[in-house]
Amino acid sequence: MYNSKSTMFNSKLFLNFFNDKTDFLDSFFNKNLYYKIAHYSQQDKIDEVKNWYKSERLVFVLGAGTSIDYGLPSWDELLQKLFLLTIKSDNDSQKDNKSSVLARTFNSVFEPSSLISARYLHSYFKKNNPNSTVAFEKSIRDVLYENIDKNLKDSDLLKEIRQFCIAAGRSPNLDSIITYNYDDIIEECLRNIDVDIPFTPIHARGMNYKKNQLPIYHVHGYLPRQGKLTSKNKVVLSENGYHQQYTDTYGWSNLIQINKFKDYNCLFIGVSFSDPNLRRLLDIAKNERGDDEIHHFCLKKRYDKKKVKKELEKLLSEDPRLLDEKQRANIELDDVVNDLIKLMQKFEENDAISFGVGLIWVDDYNEIPLILKNIRE
């Protein structure tokens, strides 16, 4: 998604961009890694994924974007709601609405680091529930499903993912699913039809699946809506959890990801490449393969021109030094927006290619189920 704090709007870079836009763009586009898949059309990329699926080497890697239609909180919303629980607990004498205001305004005014917030929350729930090993996980589960619509129909995206899963035991077949989500949205979707789909969620060391079952790897932990939580339901949310994953190269979740990234072909859906551990594991897999080829693809939404233009106009109004009157008179803002988006997409293409991942761009998220159907059929 578009980030208003992106470094592409750094004032000095922006000024250089305007002063010699043509030379700057030509120089950048000619000196990057993009040539590796420059000849790929959109359909070429989709056909490549089709081949992976037909050869039963395809793995779906799912991120938060796959669950967004179900009313689950975003990362920031999850932390804010957990923080609200701590304020309410520590201020029982205060009115509920004051606690709610404190939680919302604290995050807005001070913008604390999400890692610092998660670390504090983990310590808080552990300290206040010394006799429970999963107090933190229980609180996360309560917040996670708080506003979920139980009567909501399955999204078009998950319906299409489900079509790949129905083929378990037949050919072609999806190899497996890796998900970074704690929720059981994908499992419930597989249960919501009359067809029996053999699958098993795997979320801890020592868990295995049977021959004809589709494994769904919850590599950051698993919090199903029903049932008792145990030590096997531990989640990776706070900093210490990430540190443990980072240092434990031979941990089960790291080994699963390295294996799939190295020996199989992945389609990333709803995933960004901002997680340091994911980037590290992709690097390890690439080095183990020993080549610079494209082995995976990621479905990614193009930047919204209206949002970028709005941010650009705001930037120009706040810092008039960026453009003098002569420069302003000689440019078309829409052209600059298009070039900035093109520039940012090239940056992201290059970053993904460095891990052996190509990007399949879509204008709207609604295109993704259609692309999946194209791959499957």
Side-chain angles (χ1 to χ4, degrees), residues 213-249:
Q213 289 181 327
L214 176 76
I216 302 176
Y217 299 103
H218 287 263
V219 293
H220 282 178
Y222 183 46
L223 301 174
R225 272 168 272 189
Q226 305 296 327
K228 182 180 179 181
L229 298 183
T230 70
S231 58
K232 288 191 173 184
N233 295 103
K234 290 287 185 179
V235 302
V236 178
L237 176 69
S238 63
E239 197 174 26
N240 55 351
Y242 281 102
H243 287 171
Q244 184 175 351
Q245 274 205 336
Y246 209 79
T247 56
D248 188 9
T249 304

Coordinates of all heavy atoms in Angstrom, one line a residue, residues 213-249:
Q213 N -3.1 -35.3 2.7 CA -3.5 -34.0 3.3 C -2.7 -32.8 2.8 O -1.5 -32.9 2.5 CB -3.4 -34.1 4.8 CG -4.4 -35.0 5.5 CD -4.2 -35.0 7.0 OE1 -3.1 -34.8 7.5 NE2 -5.3 -35.2 7.7
L214 N -3.4 -31.7 2.6 CA -2.7 -30.5 2.3 C -2.2 -29.8 3.5 O -3.0 -29.4 4.4 CB -3.7 -29.5 1.5 CG -3.1 -28.2 1.2 CD1 -2.2 -28.2 0.0 CD2 -4.3 -27.2 0.9
P215 N -0.9 -29.6 3.7 CA -0.3 -28.9 4.8 C -0.5 -27.4 4.7 O -0.2 -26.8 3.7 CB 1.1 -29.3 4.9 CG 1.5 -29.6 3.4 CD 0.2 -30.1 2.8
I216 N -1.0 -26.8 5.8 CA -1.1 -25.3 5.9 C -0.2 -24.9 7.0 O -0.5 -25.1 8.2 CB -2.6 -24.9 6.2 CG1 -3.5 -25.4 5.1 CG2 -2.7 -23.4 6.3 CD1 -5.0 -25.1 5.3
Y217 N 0.9 -24.3 6.7 CA 2.0 -24.0 7.7 C 1.7 -22.5 8.2 O 1.8 -21.6 7.5 CB 3.3 -24.0 7.0 CG 3.7 -25.4 6.5 CD1 3.7 -25.7 5.1 CD2 4.1 -26.4 7.4 CE1 4.1 -26.9 4.7 CE2 4.5 -27.7 6.9 CZ 4.5 -27.9 5.5 OH 4.8 -29.1 5.1
H218 N 1.4 -22.5 9.5 CA 1.2 -21.2 10.2 C 2.6 -20.8 10.8 O 2.8 -21.2 12.0 CB 0.1 -21.2 11.2 CG -1.3 -21.2 10.7 ND1 -2.0 -20.1 10.5 CD2 -2.0 -22.3 10.2 CE1 -3.2 -20.4 10.0 NE2 -3.2 -21.7 9.8
V219 N 3.5 -20.2 10.1 CA 4.9 -20.1 10.5 C 5.0 -19.0 11.6 O 6.1 -18.9 12.2 CB 5.8 -19.8 9.3 CG1 5.9 -21.1 8.4 CG2 5.4 -18.6 8.5
H220 N 4.0 -18.2 11.8 CA 4.1 -17.2 12.9 C 3.1 -17.5 14.0 O 2.9 -16.7 14.9 CB 3.8 -15.8 12.3 CG 4.9 -15.1 11.6 ND1 4.8 -13.9 11.0 CD2 6.2 -15.6 11.4 CE1 6.0 -13.6 10.4 NE2 6.8 -14.6 10.7
G221 N 2.6 -18.7 14.0 CA 1.7 -19.1 15.1 C 0.2 -19.2 14.6 O -0.1 -18.7 13.5
Y222 N -0.6 -19.9 15.4 CA -2.0 -20.2 15.0 C -2.9 -20.1 16.2 O -2.7 -20.7 17.2 CB -2.0 -21.7 14.5 CG -3.3 -22.1 13.9 CD1 -4.1 -21.3 13.1 CD2 -3.8 -23.4 14.3 CE1 -5.3 -21.8 12.6 CE2 -5.0 -23.8 13.8 CZ -5.8 -23.0 12.9 OH -7.0 -23.5 12.4
L223 N -4.0 -19.3 16.0 CA -5.0 -19.0 17.0 C -6.4 -19.3 16.5 O -7.1 -18.4 16.1 CB -4.9 -17.6 17.5 CG -3.5 -17.1 18.1 CD1 -3.5 -15.6 18.4 CD2 -3.2 -17.9 19.4
P224 N -6.8 -20.6 16.5 CA -8.1 -20.9 16.0 C -9.2 -20.3 16.9 O -8.9 -20.1 18.1 CB -8.2 -22.4 16.0 CG -7.1 -22.8 17.0 CD -6.1 -21.8 16.9
R225 N -10.3 -20.0 16.3 CA -11.4 -19.4 17.1 C -11.9 -20.3 18.3 O -12.2 -19.8 19.3 CB -12.6 -19.1 16.2 CG -12.5 -17.7 15.6 CD -13.5 -17.6 14.5 NE -13.0 -18.0 13.2 CZ -13.7 -17.9 12.0 NH1 -14.8 -17.2 12.0 NH2 -13.1 -18.3 10.9
Q226 N -11.9 -21.6 18.0 CA -12.5 -22.5 19.0 C -11.3 -23.4 19.6 O -10.3 -23.6 18.9 CB -13.5 -23.4 18.4 CG -14.7 -22.7 17.7 CD -15.5 -21.9 18.7 OE1 -15.7 -22.3 19.8 NE2 -16.0 -20.8 18.2
G227 N -11.6 -23.9 20.8 CA -10.6 -24.9 21.3 C -9.7 -24.2 22.3 O -9.5 -23.0 22.4
K228 N -9.0 -25.1 23.1 CA -8.1 -24.6 24.1 C -6.7 -24.3 23.5 O -6.2 -25.0 22.7 CB -7.9 -25.7 25.2 CG -7.0 -25.3 26.4 CD -6.9 -26.5 27.4 CE -6.0 -26.1 28.5 NZ -5.9 -27.2 29.5
L229 N -6.2 -23.2 23.9 CA -4.8 -22.8 23.5 C -3.8 -23.5 24.3 O -3.9 -23.5 25.6 CB -4.6 -21.3 23.5 CG -5.6 -20.5 22.6 CD1 -5.2 -19.0 22.7 CD2 -5.5 -21.0 21.1
T230 N -2.7 -24.0 23.7 CA -1.6 -24.6 24.5 C -0.3 -23.9 24.1 O -0.3 -23.0 23.3 CB -1.5 -26.1 24.1 OG1 -1.1 -26.3 22.8 CG2 -2.9 -26.8 24.3
S231 N 0.8 -24.5 24.6 CA 2.1 -23.9 24.3 C 2.4 -24.0 22.8 O 3.3 -23.3 22.3 CB 3.2 -24.6 25.1 OG 3.2 -26.0 24.8
K232 N 1.7 -24.9 22.1 CA 1.9 -25.0 20.6 C 1.3 -23.9 19.8 O 1.5 -23.8 18.6 CB 1.4 -26.4 20.1 CG 2.3 -27.6 20.5 CD 1.9 -28.8 19.8 CE 2.8 -30.0 20.1 NZ 2.5 -31.2 19.4
N233 N 0.5 -23.1 20.5 CA -0.2 -22.0 19.8 C 0.6 -20.6 20.0 O 0.0 -19.6 19.7 CB -1.6 -21.8 20.4 CG -2.5 -23.0 20.0 OD1 -2.8 -23.8 20.8 ND2 -2.9 -23.0 18.8
K234 N 1.8 -20.7 20.4 CA 2.6 -19.5 20.6 C 2.7 -18.7 19.3 O 2.9 -19.3 18.2 CB 4.0 -19.9 21.1 CG 4.1 -20.4 22.5 CD 3.9 -19.3 23.5 CE 4.1 -19.7 24.9 NZ 3.9 -18.6 25.9
V235 N 2.6 -17.4 19.4 CA 2.7 -16.6 18.1 C 3.9 -15.7 18.1 O 4.5 -15.4 19.2 CB 1.4 -15.7 18.0 CG1 0.2 -16.5 18.0 CG2 1.4 -14.6 19.1
V236 N 4.3 -15.3 17.0 CA 5.4 -14.4 16.8 C 4.8 -13.0 16.5 O 4.3 -12.7 15.5 CB 6.3 -14.8 15.6 CG1 7.4 -13.8 15.4 CG2 6.9 -16.2 15.8
L237 N 4.8 -12.2 17.6 CA 4.3 -10.8 17.5 C 5.3 -9.8 18.1 O 5.6 -8.8 17.5 CB 2.9 -10.7 18.2 CG 2.3 -9.3 18.3 CD1 1.9 -8.9 16.9 CD2 1.1 -9.2 19.2
S238 N 5.8 -10.2 19.2 CA 6.7 -9.2 19.9 C 8.1 -9.4 19.4 O 8.5 -10.4 18.7 CB 6.7 -9.4 21.4 OG 7.1 -10.7 21.8
E239 N 9.0 -8.5 19.8 CA 10.4 -8.4 19.3 C 11.1 -9.7 19.6 O 11.9 -10.2 18.8 CB 11.1 -7.2 19.8 CG 12.3 -6.8 19.1 CD 12.8 -5.5 19.7 OE1 12.5 -5.2 20.9 OE2 13.5 -4.8 18.9
N240 N 10.9 -10.2 20.9 CA 11.7 -11.4 21.3 C 11.3 -12.6 20.4 O 12.2 -13.5 20.2 CB 11.5 -11.7 22.8 CG 10.1 -11.8 23.2 OD1 9.2 -11.5 22.4 ND2 9.8 -12.2 24.4
G241 N 10.1 -12.7 20.0 CA 9.7 -13.7 19.1 C 10.4 -13.7 17.8 O 10.8 -14.7 17.2
Y242 N 10.5 -12.5 17.2 CA 11.2 -12.3 16.0 C 12.7 -12.6 16.2 O 13.4 -13.2 15.3 CB 11.1 -10.9 15.4 CG 9.7 -10.7 14.7 CD1 8.7 -10.0 15.4 CD2 9.5 -11.1 13.4 CE1 7.5 -9.8 14.8 CE2 8.3 -11.0 12.8 CZ 7.3 -10.3 13.5 OH 6.1 -10.1 12.8
H243 N 13.3 -12.2 17.3 CA 14.7 -12.5 17.6 C 14.9 -14.0 17.6 O 16.0 -14.5 17.1 CB 15.1 -11.8 18.9 CG 15.2 -10.3 18.8 ND1 15.4 -9.5 19.9 CD2 15.2 -9.5 17.7 CE1 15.5 -8.3 19.5 NE2 15.4 -8.2 18.2
Q244 N 14.0 -14.7 18.2 CA 14.2 -16.1 18.3 C 14.1 -16.8 16.9 O 14.9 -17.7 16.6 CB 13.0 -16.7 19.2 CG 13.2 -18.2 19.4 CD 12.2 -18.8 20.4 OE1 11.4 -18.0 21.0 NE2 12.1 -20.1 20.5
Q245 N 13.2 -16.3 16.1 CA 13.1 -16.9 14.7 C 14.4 -16.5 14.0 O 14.9 -17.3 13.2 CB 11.9 -16.3 14.0 CG 10.6 -17.1 14.2 CD 9.7 -16.9 13.0 OE1 9.7 -15.9 12.3 NE2 8.8 -17.8 12.9
Y246 N 14.9 -15.3 14.2 CA 16.1 -14.8 13.5 C 17.3 -15.6 13.8 O 18.1 -15.9 13.0 CB 16.3 -13.3 13.8 CG 16.9 -12.5 12.7 CD1 16.2 -12.1 11.7 CD2 18.3 -12.2 12.8 CE1 16.7 -11.3 10.6 CE2 18.8 -11.5 11.8 CZ 18.1 -11.0 10.7 OH 18.6 -10.3 9.7
T247 N 17.4 -16.0 15.1 CA 18.7 -16.7 15.5 C 18.6 -18.2 15.4 O 19.6 -18.9 15.2 CB 19.0 -16.4 17.0 OG1 17.8 -16.7 17.8 CG2 19.3 -14.9 17.2
D248 N 17.3 -18.7 15.4 CA 17.1 -20.2 15.3 C 17.0 -20.6 13.8 O 15.8 -20.9 13.4 CB 15.9 -20.6 16.2 CG 15.8 -22.1 16.3 OD1 16.7 -22.8 15.8 OD2 14.8 -22.6 16.8
T249 N 18.0 -20.6 13.1 CA 18.0 -21.0 11.7 C 17.4 -22.3 11.5 O 16.7 -22.6 10.4 CB 19.4 -20.9 11.0 OG1 19.9 -19.6 11.3 CG2 19.3 -21.2 9.5

